[in-house]
């Protein structure tokens, strides 16, 4: 492990051990202070966030984009402050911490026993949404996680999410897709953060007027298992309660090849994500390159992408 990797692991460990002990108002102020310092430094992540917002809000001038990126960093640090503190939250605090709209799409799907796939972009706090599902709805689910460096940091994230009631599979290794399919055929719930493709085998979609590549996994899983595919978007308001919406199900087309169906369904997923992101751009935490025009060329790799939380 390199010195940088040891430092990264130590900082995350400090966050989970120290921040969760802070009073909530102190944690909120700390998160905002760190966000503002990072925003003022204008590092690569902030500049990429601002560049991504320029695609989402194409008529925004420099001043508006700067306001958005500052709000975006504050939202991003709110995610981290909440995540560091989630293991110390009571069940009541978790249950009261999220207010999703149109929840019937999810509860009806769970009751149907056909299996449900929730697909989310990197908005709000997807870990809090997951903890709410396991706590408020008392429904376990399975997700996948990107393998991080160092390995000890990946292990921290897995332990953290398992502590919130999630089953976590590694994104790499080739077995995640089959396990997810088995969970869905058994009537289970699968949650995937799914607007950023981590392979070269994703599906090209139109996203805010330009081409991006998104994971094929959610659409393929729905086709192979008959599970319900539901987009979800999350956002913050001025209250301590995160907001969200469960969008209507994305149906499997009646005709076409598997590739055709996957393309249509993934585009519908991208459109649902775009609706939520356009309404709340500052709560979309995309500090990486997403659109093909911004990406470095990558060698092609076979196999479906499962969609993975960062």
């Amino acid at each position: 492990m390199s010195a940088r990797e040891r430092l990264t692991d130590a900082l995350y460990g400090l966050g989970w051990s120290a921040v969760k002990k802070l009073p909530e108002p102190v944690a909120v102020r700390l998160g905002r202070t760190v966000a503002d310092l990072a925003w003022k430094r204008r590092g690569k992540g902030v500049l990429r966030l601002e560049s991504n917002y320029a695609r989402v809000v194409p008529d925004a001038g420099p001043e508006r984009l700067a306001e958005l990126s500052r709000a975006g960093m504050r939202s991003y640090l709110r995610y981290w402050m909440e995540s560091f503190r989630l293991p110390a939250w009571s069940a009541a605090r978790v249950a009261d911490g999220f207010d999703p709209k149109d929840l019937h799409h999810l509860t009806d799907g769970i009751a149907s026993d056909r299996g449900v796939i929730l697909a989310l972009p990197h908005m709000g706090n997807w870990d809090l949404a997951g903890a709410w599902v396991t706590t408020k709805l008392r429904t376990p689910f399975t997700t996948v996680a990107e393998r991080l460096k160092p390995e000890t940091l990946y292990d921290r994230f897995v332990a953290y999410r398992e502590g919130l009631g999630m089953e976590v599979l590694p994104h790499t290794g080739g077995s995640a897709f089959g396990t997810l399919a088995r969970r869905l055929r058994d009537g289970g719930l699968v949650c995937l953060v799914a607007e950023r493709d981590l392979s070269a085998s994703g599906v090209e979609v139109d996203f805010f007027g330009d081409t991006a590549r998104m994971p094929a996994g959610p659409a393929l899983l729905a086709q192979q298992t008959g599970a319900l595919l539901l987009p979800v978007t999350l956002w913050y308001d001025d209250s301590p309660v995160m907001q969200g919406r469960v969008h209507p199900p994305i149906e499997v087309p009646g005709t076409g090849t598997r590739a055709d169906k996957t393309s249509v369904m993934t585009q519908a997923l991208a459109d649902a994500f775009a609706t939520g992101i356009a309404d709340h751009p500052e709560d979309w935490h995309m500090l990486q390159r997403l659109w093909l025009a911004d990406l470095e060329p990558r060698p092609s790799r076979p196999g479906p992408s499962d969609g993975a939380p960062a």
Side-chain angles (χ1 to χ4, degrees), residues 3-28:
R4 182 174 181 178
E5 288 176 343
R6 285 197 297 271
L7 177 61
T8 299
D9 183 56
L11 289 174
Y12 278 100
L14 179 64
W16 269 300
S17 63
V19 174
K20 70 180 180 182
K21 299 176 182 177
L22 296 175
E24 189 157 346
V26 176
V28 169

Side-chain angles (χ1 to χ4, degrees), residues 18 29 43-44 52 58 61 72 131-132 143 175 185 217 264 271 273 278 289:
R29 289 196 298 272
K44 287 194 298 185
N52 290 339
W132 185 89
T143 187
S175 63
R185 291 191 182 102
V264 169
D271 292 343
F273 291 166
R289 300 178 183 188

Side-chain angles (χ1 to χ4, degrees), residues 248-262:
I250 294 174
E251 302 294 341
V252 177
T255 59
T257 65
R258 186 174 76 161
D260 291 338
K261 293 176 181 179
T262 302

